[in-house]
Amino acid sequence: MTEALMNQAAETSTDATQVPSRPENSQLSPAEVEAAVYEIADRSREAARSMSRANRALKDKGLRAIGSALLERKADILAANAKDVEAGRANGTSAALLDRLTLNDARIESLAGALENLAGLPDPVGNVVRGQTLPNGLRLRQVNVPMGVVAAIYEARPNVTVDIAGLALKSGNAVILRGGTAAAATNEALIRVLREALAAVGLPADAVQTVDQYGREGANVLLRARGRVDVLIPRGGRELIQTVVNNSSVPVIETGEGNVHIFVDESASEDMAVEILLNAKTQRPSVCNTVETLLVHSGSTVLPAVAAALSKAGVRLHADARIRAALPADVETVPATDEDWATEYMDLDLAVAMVDSLDDAVKHIRTWTSGHTEAILTNDLANAERFIAEIDSAAVIVNASTRFTDGGELGLGAEVGISTQKLHARGPMGLTELTTTKWIVQGEGQVRG
């Protein structure tokens, strides 16, 4: 072990809540980084054993302690965040990513509120999924149990640091975080608060750890930590997610990008369409449940009002030829291409196409969807039911904004991410999605014949 690593280990043993920084003026070899990250993972596994035995009262006490500490240390957190945001601006980071990166009073208060909500939710650990007594007298129960060590790799989203940690703790897990260089100062401040709050209530500080200090190589080691890490969750853009999926030997729950569609059918009312489209596109355009493509039935009369409202709100419309021909000259558009139908803008841009039927809308969505969220605006019950039946995405919404595809909005307290895969977890991932199951078989001497 190098002197830098020895010093870091000594500091960690002196103060169990300290967040280690990357050793300065030293270049760690890949083998040294691997050893350091594996040591973090091993401490996480020990912490996970303690968390699996913690009762609900203690876990909820920890969540509330973290929420209070976030509010008490708000000034420190915002000062660290300001450094990250300033660096992002200097590096030419887009407005959408800067919005994700930025914390303010309201967002920190929202994080604390989400932790309070989590504390009020039932503990998933020990929940009986199913059970029965067999004819031979064996008593069976399938129960939810913690995953163990959950790792998360994400980028420029400091709110995710708190959300994932809170969900992992409530569900009895330990978590290892890799939040990326763009939010390095903010995440260091947040993780320090988390660890100190846990230690203060008697929970292991190592239930929340980070490998940010080891940079990209630390993240790569996490991908190879099979047996030390039980599940890995990537959250971010397509490139990050696919890198994790294609290179990880640790089981991955894939969270997907949000190429989200809204179809306005012939029967939809103008007032509802305008209000929902404005909310779905402009409330917070940098997030994955923001609408990216609008499909309008050729028989609908709402297009001029919807387009005018969106344009007034600063939305740039990437429209096909039929949409452009149907709009007044004072509504500015740019010609849409196939690239637009495939794009998750995460900004004030919207692809718009005209379709002649529900079948055409479903065909378009099936061609271009990322499997995240699709919505229909309609007053026709039969069309709503067909849309629900024929669209295969993690969330299907009728007559409401796509912004509701969110763990907090759906009563899950918070979310680790929105899974677009079909195995184990799909849609917003809350507490139950961070558990697995265990079969408990109780007998009185039975043997198999």
Side-chain angles (χ1 to χ4, degrees):
M1 183 179 288
T2 66
E3 181 179 354
L5 279 176
M6 290 175 67
N7 290 338
Q8 185 173 314
E11 290 172 357
T12 301
S13 64
T14 302
D15 182 356
T17 67
Q18 184 171 339
V19 182
S21 300
R22 186 169 186 132
E24 295 182 5
N25 303 318
S26 65
Q27 293 294 323
L28 302 184
S29 70
E32 289 170 325
V33 172
E34 180 177 80
V37 172
Y38 282 175
E39 194 268 337
I40 287 172
D42 290 342
R43 294 206 315 268
S44 289
R45 188 155 294 280
E46 285 299 316
R49 293 189 181 101
S50 296
M51 291 302 304
S52 71
R53 298 190 298 269
N55 60 31
R56 175 180 174 175
L58 182 55
K59 291 188 288 187
D60 291 348
K61 185 177 180 181
L63 293 175
R64 292 189 169 104
I66 293 170
S68 296
L70 289 174
L71 298 177
E72 291 169 3
R73 303 278 291 279
K74 189 189 303 181
D76 294 340
I77 296 167
L78 292 178
N81 184 247
K83 294 178 183 178
D84 288 331
V85 172
E86 182 180 355
R89 286 200 183 97
N91 293 332
T93 302
S94 70
L97 289 180
L98 281 176
D99 177 65
R100 285 184 172 189
L101 178 61
T102 301
L103 292 179
N104 53 36
D105 285 354
R107 289 182 180 179
I108 292 178
E109 288 167 7
S110 177
L111 289 173
L115 291 168
E116 180 62 35
N117 289 339
L118 271 180
L121 292 177
D123 189 340
V125 178
N127 175 60
V128 178
V129 178
R130 54 182 164 172
Q132 62 176 315
T133 300
L134 299 181
N136 63 5
L138 287 177
R139 300 185 304 280
L140 308 182
R141 284 178 295 148
Q142 185 186 21
V143 301
N144 290 116
V145 295
M147 283 280 188
V149 178
V150 177
I153 298 178
Y154 51 102
E155 48 192 2
R157 304 178 183 191
N159 64 296
V160 172
T161 299
V162 179
D163 285 346
I164 291 182
L167 286 163
L169 296 169
K170 175 79 176 196
S171 53
N173 297 288
V175 65
I176 303 173
L177 303 169
R178 161 61 177 161
T181 56
T186 312
N187 286 331
E188 183 176 347
L190 288 170
I191 291 170
R192 183 178 297 110
V193 170
L194 291 165
R195 288 171 60 84
E196 290 175 357
L198 290 176
V201 301
L203 288 169
D206 283 341
V208 178
Q209 296 194 81
T210 178
V211 296
D212 278 349
Q213 63 271 29
Y214 300 111
R216 183 171 297 177
E217 181 55 33
N220 290 335
V221 174
L222 271 186
L223 301 183
R224 304 191 298 269
R226 189 179 184 94
R228 288 180 163 92
V229 174
D230 294 293
V231 65
L232 198 155
I233 302 169
R235 184 168 173 180
R238 176 184 294 181
E239 183 178 354
L240 180 146
I241 292 167
Q242 291 307 310
T243 296
V244 171
V245 169
N246 293 329
N247 293 283
S248 179
S249 64
V250 175
V252 174
I253 298 178
E254 183 175 354
T255 61
E257 62 181 322
N259 189 11
V260 172
H261 299 76
I262 292 180
F263 169 50
V264 179
D265 92 343
E266 191 173 11
S267 67
S269 69
E270 181 177 300
D271 289 346
M272 181 174 69
V274 169
E275 186 171 7
I276 287 176
L277 262 299
L278 282 174
N279 180 264
K281 183 72 253 186
T282 69
Q283 188 202 38
R284 196 174 178 195
S286 66
V287 294
C288 64
N289 55 22
T290 293
V291 64
E292 304 291 15
T293 297
L294 168 63
L295 304 175
V296 183
H297 193 287
S298 57
S300 171
T301 60
V302 309
L303 177 61
V306 167
L310 289 168
S311 295
K312 185 177 180 180
V315 178
R316 188 183 191 201
L317 303 178
H318 302 247
D320 71 2
R322 295 177 70 191
I323 292 290
R324 298 179 78 198
L327 287 175
D330 61 343
V331 177
E332 294 186 10
T333 63
V334 295
T337 66
D338 278 356
E339 183 178 354
D340 289 299
W341 312 132
T343 298
E344 182 186 24
Y345 297 108
M346 302 183 111
D347 210 338
L348 288 175
D349 291 84
L350 182 68
V352 190
M354 187 173 289
V355 294
D356 292 319
S357 65
L358 175 60
D359 288 333
D360 289 345
V362 170
K363 181 179 179 181
H364 182 107
I365 292 169
R366 285 178 173 171
T367 300
W368 300 105
T369 183
S370 62
H372 190 293
T373 299
E374 326 299 348
I376 183 173
L377 309 186
T378 182
N379 284 314
D380 186 317
L381 180 60
N383 281 352
E385 292 299 325
R386 275 194 57 205
F387 191 85
I388 291 169
E390 296 182 23
I391 293 297
D392 185 21
S393 290
V396 180
I397 295 177
V398 177
N399 294 336
S401 172
T402 57
R403 292 280 287 117
F404 284 107
T405 306
D406 175 89
E409 293 294 326
L410 297 183
L412 304 181
E415 68 182 27
V416 176
I418 296 174
S419 171
T420 55
Q421 66 182 31
K422 297 185 180 182
L423 298 179
H424 171 64
R426 195 180 193 196
M429 295 168 56
L431 294 170
T432 301
E433 287 71 28
L434 288 183
T435 65
T436 183
T437 62
K438 175 165 62 179
W439 283 95
I440 299 171
V441 183
Q442 292 178 298
E444 296 172 342
Q446 291 92 333
V447 295
R448 182 172 174 175

